[in-house]
Amino acid sequence: MNGFKMKLEIKQLVKNYGSFTALDHISYTFENGIYALLGPNGAGKSTFMNILAMLLKETQGEIILDGKPLVKQKKSFLNMLGYMPQQQCLYEDFTLKDFMYYIGNLKGMKKQEIISRSQYLVKEVKLEDVFYKKLSAFSGGMKQRAMLAATLINDPKILILDEPTAGLDPMKRMEMQNMIAIFAKDKIVLIATHVVSDVEFISSKFIFLKEGHIILQGDRISILECLDQKVKEREITIEEYQKYKQANIVSSIYYRHDKLFARIIDDHDEYSGEVITPEISDVYFYLFRDEKDAVL
Ligand code: ADP
């Protein structure tokens, strides 16, 4: 069967908080696929997602779903939306069952539909054994999976995830990434994060947001082109590392066979080293290296 196809167009979106402009004429078109919204804290990611989820009103601009303004189809849009916010909005006293049924009810689903979706989803997120347990007893990773399951209760066609792997250990992060990749079929999925490794391999498109502007966007190949021939690997000493770090050109360092290596971004061909294939994390470093809280 051919999948469900959608088109969500963002046109000249502006959001001002008083005199401060958090989003400055953002235009972008989403079609089915996984999109990574990348940028450091304060870039405007949450503002953008909250507007898409209709929790926040834009100052200017328009959002159009399949040719029709969103404001004219708010109810049907909200029924096809799943939004997983950053803070864990969990009612700790609820059991997982209560929580999922509660969210299903809020979404206006029929009882039988809630029951069958819950049964399916708790298995998918590997929480079927704790379906009748209180959320207060869940670990961080379990809570995050419970949130994802509840977000998916209405089989949303548009899924917005704000830092879905925040606070998880590396294994749990990978598990979450895999789940998202599986659930993403035939949907528009937008994942906001400042942790590149969480989205590097599951996203088909990347949107880099800085100070309310999209400064770079595209698929993996086109994004990596901006650093073509500019990423070099070289063995370094600790002293050299300090020097390069001062120059703000070290994307990452690692040991290999007891030797220290650095990936450096060499914009002007000033340094020696072996030219290597860029990665999305190099691009992130390149774009945001002047930001204090850039996390790779
Ligand atoms: P991100 O999610 O990328 O960290 P946000 O969308 O939360 O970015 O914030 C973008 C900018 O807007 C930041 O400078 C933030 O301080 C500012 N901002 C966010 N919410 C408000 C608000 N309610 N009032 C004033 N400024 C805000």
Side-chain angles (χ1 to χ4, degrees):
M1 197 180 79
N2 227 345
F4 188 87
K5 288 222 165 41
M6 285 168 298
K7 193 167 174 185
L8 184 66
E9 294 167 86
I10 317 296
K11 292 189 172 173
Q12 301 290 325
L13 194 68
V14 174
K15 177 65 190 175
N16 295 333
Y17 294 111
S19 61
F20 177 76
T21 301
L23 295 177
D24 195 0
H25 295 89
I26 300 275
S27 294
Y28 195 82
T29 300
F30 294 96
E31 288 174 344
N32 293 18
I34 305 187
Y35 295 79
L37 182 63
L38 287 159
N41 288 331
K45 303 183 296 297
S46 298
T47 301
F48 186 57
M49 285 183 299
N50 281 319
I51 292 174
L52 284 188
M54 300 189 96
L55 295 168
L56 196 64
K57 179 120 187 59
E58 65 276 13
T59 308
Q60 267 178 50
E62 210 177 10
I63 305 177
I64 295 169
L65 177 66
D66 293 333
K68 221 170 126 189
L70 212 56
V71 284
K72 298 225 166 98
Q73 43 180 336
K74 186 168 179 178
K75 193 158 183 282
S76 59
F77 174 72
L78 291 179
N79 281 337
M80 57 159 49
L81 176 78
Y83 176 49
M84 183 166 140
Q86 203 171 357
Q87 294 86 12
Q88 293 194 343
C89 299
L90 286 177
Y91 300 92
E92 299 261 321
D93 254 359
F94 278 25
T95 63
L96 176 58
K97 172 176 174 268
D98 295 339
F99 181 54
M100 295 199 62
Y101 284 28
Y102 172 70
I103 302 287
N105 273 314
L106 285 183
K107 295 274 177 188
M109 292 168 69
K110 294 202 178 69
K111 193 170 175 200
Q112 199 46 50
E113 206 188 342
I114 296 178
I115 295 172
S116 60
R117 272 300 280 178
S118 298
Q119 280 169 349
Y120 163 72
L121 286 166
V122 293
K123 277 203 195 95
E124 289 295 308
V125 301
K126 299 196 208 102
L127 290 176
E128 70 263 45
D129 295 345
V130 290
F131 192 47
Y132 299 99
K133 293 247 158 60
K134 281 196 177 178
L135 299 171
S136 53
F138 284 27
S139 69
M142 289 161 77
K143 282 181 181 164
Q144 210 71 346
R145 268 146 51 213
M147 286 271 288
L148 181 66
T151 306
L152 291 164
I153 188 97
N154 59 332
D155 195 14
K157 298 294 176 225
I158 299 172
L159 194 55
I160 300 177
L161 308 170
D162 194 355
E163 303 270 359
T165 56
L168 302 183
D169 66 44
M171 279 303 284
K172 298 282 181 320
R173 294 186 101 96
M174 264 161 54
E175 219 173 77
M176 188 59 130
Q177 288 168 22
N178 294 341
M179 279 178 193
I180 294 168
I182 287 164
F183 285 121
K185 194 173 167 351
D186 297 336
K187 298 187 198 317
I188 292 174
V189 182
L190 179 61
I191 308 172
T193 185
H194 60 294
V195 185
V196 178
S197 54
D198 280 353
V199 284
E200 181 148 22
F201 299 108
I202 60 169
S203 306
S204 46
K205 296 271 172 64
F206 298 84
I207 304 165
F208 292 87
L209 201 62
K210 184 175 185 175
E211 294 165 6
H213 296 96
I214 294 178
I215 53 167
L216 182 67
Q217 58 85 16
D219 61 17
R220 194 182 166 77
I221 292 176
S222 68
I223 292 289
L224 295 181
E225 260 170 21
C226 81
L227 285 184
D228 191 32
Q229 306 294 315
K230 289 185 176 175
V231 185
K232 289 177 182 168
E233 184 188 62
R234 56 176 293 161
E235 194 187 332
I236 54 165
T237 61
I238 297 282
E239 292 73 32
E240 279 171 323
Y241 170 58
Q242 296 302 347
K243 195 178 89 199
Y244 292 145
K245 201 160 170 272
Q246 284 282 320
N248 213 3
I249 57 165
V250 182
S251 169
S252 61
I253 53 167
Y254 36 84
Y255 278 97
R256 196 188 301 140
H257 305 304
D258 285 340
K259 288 180 180 154
L260 184 61
F261 286 87
R263 290 175 81 88
I264 58 172
I265 311 295
D266 188 3
D267 236 352
H268 308 292
D269 205 11
E270 293 167 84
Y271 302 88
S272 63
E274 187 189 345
V275 174
I276 51 172
T277 312
E279 288 176 3
I280 299 288
S281 53
D282 296 316
V283 177
Y284 189 96
F285 171 77
Y286 179 64
L287 295 175
F288 301 117
R289 56 186 162 178
D290 297 325
E291 309 267 336
K292 278 188 212 69
D293 67 340
V295 175
L296 294 182

